[in-house]
Amino acid sequence: MSLPRSALPVAVGLLVLGTVLRAVFLLWHPPFTTDFYDYEQVSAYADSWYLMHMAVGAPGFATMFVGLAAVTAVLCAERGGLLAVIGGALAAAGGLGFALALAAEGATWGWALDPAVIDAEAGAQLLRGIETGPQLTTPIILAADTAVIPLGVLLQLIALLLAGSVPRWLPIAVLVVMLLGLVPVPVLDGPRVVLESVALIAIGLFVVRARRPLRAAVPAP
């Protein structure tokens, strides 16, 4: 994949910014064992719910996977390029869908938890009403989080291993951390998010450091 030299910092910047925002969101978000349709349990986050989802989570998921798609395509320009492009397209589509669903939930819960908009009893009824018909956002989040994004990222990691443009331990580390996410041990969630974020940012920085792949991937001005 050829990118203008001026576009490379943008791609890396999107990856780094998105990775940081996504990590902040995942660490800030209440435990996923929470009953998010229970007004009492989520009311503690009434003042931060909208900001958490709209200003941090949604832009984080959108920019991280778009940036990762561009970065891996460049790093895999000589070998594994097709896998990188297909994987990047899948992960980016999943990330954008996830981001839109997060934004929708951020707005909805933000209104339901705001006593200036709706009183607590009506807010509680609204959340329980949403629980009976969550089809507007939940299927998108589940499909993106459990299938589209993991498959896309897996293809990108395989492409990076084939390309050899980053140390092998980097894509392997991301894969191991992804697998750790399947283990239902809440105490591992924080370290997993941090390790995954560090590894993804390191992959992005190799676009800057790996001179030989860049010369091959980017045409001379």
Side-chain angles (χ1 to χ4, degrees):
M1 178 179 180
S2 296
L3 285 177
R5 288 189 184 275
S6 59
L8 292 174
V10 175
V12 176
L14 287 175
L15 174 58
V16 173
L17 175 63
T19 301
V20 171
L21 289 175
R22 176 176 173 270
V24 170
F25 171 77
L26 292 174
L27 295 173
W28 187 6
H29 198 276
F32 288 95
T33 54
T34 304
D35 180 356
F36 296 112
Y37 301 101
D38 184 275
Y39 189 92
E40 293 299 324
Q41 290 192 43
V42 295
S43 60
Y45 298 88
D47 293 335
S48 59
W49 193 274
Y50 183 84
L51 180 66
M52 180 195 306
H53 286 73
M54 295 290 284
V56 181
F61 274 86
T63 56
M64 190 188 91
F65 291 107
V66 170
L68 182 62
V71 164
T72 54
V74 171
L75 288 171
C76 300
E78 294 183 350
R79 190 177 182 188
L82 181 59
L83 275 180
V85 170
I86 294 174
L90 282 173
L96 290 171
F98 198 102
L100 290 173
L102 279 184
E105 289 195 353
T108 303
W109 264 251
W111 283 320
L113 296 172
D114 187 349
V117 175
I118 187 172
D119 62 59
E121 183 178 353
Q125 291 177 350
L126 173 59
L127 292 183
R128 285 304 180 191
I130 295 171
E131 185 180 21
T132 64
Q135 64 273 11
L136 293 179
T137 58
T138 300
I140 298 173
I141 289 177
L142 289 177
D145 191 45
T146 63
V148 181
I149 291 176
L151 177 59
V153 173
L154 177 62
L155 293 178
Q156 289 174 287
L157 296 177
I158 294 172
L160 287 170
L161 286 171
L162 291 174
S165 52
V166 300
R168 289 186 177 273
W169 65 265
L170 268 178
I172 291 174
V174 176
L175 178 59
V176 169
V177 173
M178 285 175 59
L179 293 176
L180 284 177
L182 302 177
V183 180
V185 182
V187 72
L188 294 177
D189 289 345
R192 178 180 62 81
V193 170
V194 172
L195 290 174
E196 182 182 58
S197 301
V198 170
L200 289 171
I201 290 173
I203 289 173
L205 295 180
F206 265 89
V207 170
V208 179
R209 295 183 58 189
R211 300 298 184 185
R212 183 183 60 80
L214 279 184
R215 283 200 296 269
V218 181

